[in-house]
Amino acid sequence: MPTPLPRPPRDDPRAAQLMGPPRPDDDEVDDDEEMPLIKVTRRTVVLGGLFVVLCIIFLAAVLPQLAGLGDTWKQVKQGDPLWLLVAGMFTALSFAGYVLLFQGVYVRDGFRLSAVESYQITMAGLAATRVFAAGGAGGIALTAWALRRAGMPKRVVADQTLAFLVLTYGVYMAAVVVGGFGLYFGILPGSQDWAITLLPAIIGVVAFALAVLASLTPPDLQKRLDGYARRHGRWARIAQKASNLPAALSSGIRISVNLVRSGDPALAGSIAYWGFNIAILWASFKAFGEAPPWAVIVMGYFVGMLANLLPLPGGVGGVDGGMIGAFVAFGGETKDSIVVAVLTYRLFAFYLPTIPGAVAYFQLRRTVARWKEERATRKTTVQAAQA
């Protein structure tokens, strides 16, 4: 068992320069663990470029023709530049909220990351999410890898990541519940079609109920079942392993509740992330005409975003079609204006941020290499002192 390396006191002003981001134990960090999912080779660069070209062709030519809107992209040239500028500002504010939430969840309890390092991890993770879709699994894997390389233990990474997801998508579900019931019962202006108001709201309530039940699961359930698994054979061992999922979810929910109780203003980043993201869609509608009521925009946005769970390459077409279909079902705007507003939103919120995300990916590689060098320097210094 390696002996943990001694560390200077945390209140020593020279410690930060010597140590960089604090690490629980340098010897526990696997510096040979490969960066997941994205491996940059000549082949991947060529395929990536081809993928971008195909995306542009699909959005510019195929989708409008499928919708019977051959002149859709001609309307983009007629968009109000001021509202398009506002959409760009909302895009920056949305991702700033995401970075703020990341800081609030992960950077605590003696674990430090600079704002720049947090930005690199979150934006690189978002770029991976954009490329691999499937509900954000690519971004989660990349974020977990970076945090482990920063020195956070695997179990802590898992627990804090679940808390991060709970805090993020708790806002999502709350908006669906409030907006859905508000529209269905006429409290908020807009369509009262149960399929796009009441049904999503009920799904949101069920999700909250399941989360509450999961939070009642003991976080150490798997350990408690050790004796049962030894006494009752194979199926008992399988049940013990399966219990890890509700136990981990329970841990994440409890951590998120404690974080909210702590009153850390950084947790408002979740509201900022979703709120400004929806505001991008609102500004996109305003750039080409009138925007629907806010309640309709919120519900159309969140119902359409469910299509992000589809494992489509880069998510292309899924969310776009889901949002367009949702707003057409709500009615009130022409099909033409809905398509151009949604495609403009996707350009700002989905495609353009991939550029700084790709840059952040390469910056993160250099940052991780620097962390590795700092660990090697600390280890050499300590060994020399012990000698």
Side-chain angles (χ1 to χ4, degrees):
M1 182 75 179
T3 302
L5 300 177
R7 299 178 175 278
R10 289 290 180 192
D11 54 359
D12 184 347
R14 296 169 298 177
Q17 295 180 352
L18 174 63
M19 298 167 58
R23 315 286 182 244
D25 267 311
D26 285 344
D27 291 339
E28 294 179 0
V29 180
D30 183 5
D31 282 321
D32 295 325
E33 184 181 359
E34 291 292 332
M35 199 174 207
L37 296 176
I38 306 176
K39 294 185 178 180
V40 180
T41 63
R42 180 179 298 178
R43 180 173 179 270
T44 57
V45 169
V46 172
L47 291 177
L50 179 61
F51 173 74
V52 171
V53 171
L54 291 176
C55 288
I56 295 173
I57 293 174
F58 178 82
L59 291 172
V62 179
L63 184 59
Q65 292 298 330
L66 290 176
L69 302 168
D71 296 330
T72 294
W73 281 107
K74 294 180 181 178
Q75 296 186 40
V76 173
K77 299 178 181 179
Q78 304 170 5
D80 188 331
L82 179 60
W83 280 112
L84 295 177
L85 177 61
V86 170
M89 294 172 58
F90 285 150
T91 301
L93 290 171
S94 176
F95 290 111
Y98 198 81
V99 175
L100 183 65
L101 177 63
F102 182 93
Q103 286 275 98
V105 173
Y106 291 103
V107 185
R108 57 176 58 246
D109 299 329
F111 185 81
R112 287 196 312 275
L113 286 173
S114 70
V116 172
E117 291 166 342
S118 293
Y119 167 84
Q120 291 172 3
I121 295 174
T122 53
M123 291 305 295
L126 284 168
T129 299
R130 299 295 190 261
V131 173
F132 295 98
I140 292 173
L142 185 63
T143 299
W145 171 84
L147 289 169
R148 290 196 300 268
R149 294 295 293 270
M152 183 176 283
K154 289 185 178 181
R155 179 56 191 265
V156 177
V157 170
D159 288 345
Q160 297 299 101
T161 298
L162 284 170
F164 183 86
L165 294 174
V166 169
L167 290 168
T168 301
Y169 289 97
V171 173
Y172 184 121
M173 286 294 116
V176 169
V177 170
V178 173
F181 283 129
L183 285 167
Y184 182 76
F185 291 107
I187 300 172
L188 300 172
S191 172
Q192 296 179 328
D193 186 339
W194 72 272
I196 52 176
T197 58
L198 183 62
L199 181 59
I202 292 175
I203 293 174
V205 170
V206 171
F208 275 120
L210 292 176
V212 171
L213 290 176
S215 68
L216 301 177
T217 304
D220 60 344
L221 179 60
Q222 191 173 32
K223 184 177 180 180
R224 295 188 184 189
L225 293 177
D226 277 344
Y228 174 80
R230 286 194 297 268
R231 292 192 304 269
H232 293 83
R234 178 187 176 190
W235 289 107
R237 290 193 297 272
I238 293 176
Q240 182 195 26
K241 291 181 179 179
S243 70
N244 186 53
L245 178 60
L249 183 58
S250 172
S251 179
I253 293 172
R254 294 181 186 207
I255 291 173
S256 65
V257 170
N258 290 332
L259 290 174
V260 172
R261 288 177 176 174
S262 72
D264 188 342
L267 301 182
S270 178
I271 298 174
Y273 170 68
W274 290 115
F276 285 117
N277 213 281
I278 296 172
I280 301 169
L281 181 57
W282 172 75
S284 298
F285 271 107
K286 296 291 286 185
F288 301 99
E290 289 300 318
W294 268 103
V296 171
I297 289 182
V298 171
M299 285 302 296
Y301 172 89
F302 283 124
V303 171
M305 286 294 289
L306 291 175
N308 194 46
L309 295 174
L310 299 175
L312 299 172
V316 175
V319 175
D320 313 72
M323 282 191 181
I324 291 170
F327 283 114
V328 168
F330 274 110
E333 296 78 34
T334 65
K335 193 176 184 180
D336 200 18
S337 65
I338 291 172
V339 171
V340 72
V342 170
L343 293 182
T344 300
Y345 158 78
R346 291 285 281 169
L347 176 66
F348 279 101
F350 187 92
Y351 295 102
L352 290 182
T354 304
I355 298 173
V359 173
Y361 167 79
F362 290 104
Q363 292 173 329
L364 180 60
R365 288 172 63 111
R366 291 196 295 269
T367 296
V368 169
R370 173 171 58 80
W371 289 341
K372 181 178 180 179
E373 291 175 1
E374 289 172 353
R375 276 190 288 270
T377 300
R378 287 195 295 269
K379 187 172 183 178
T380 301
T381 301
V382 171
Q383 288 174 345
Q386 290 175 341

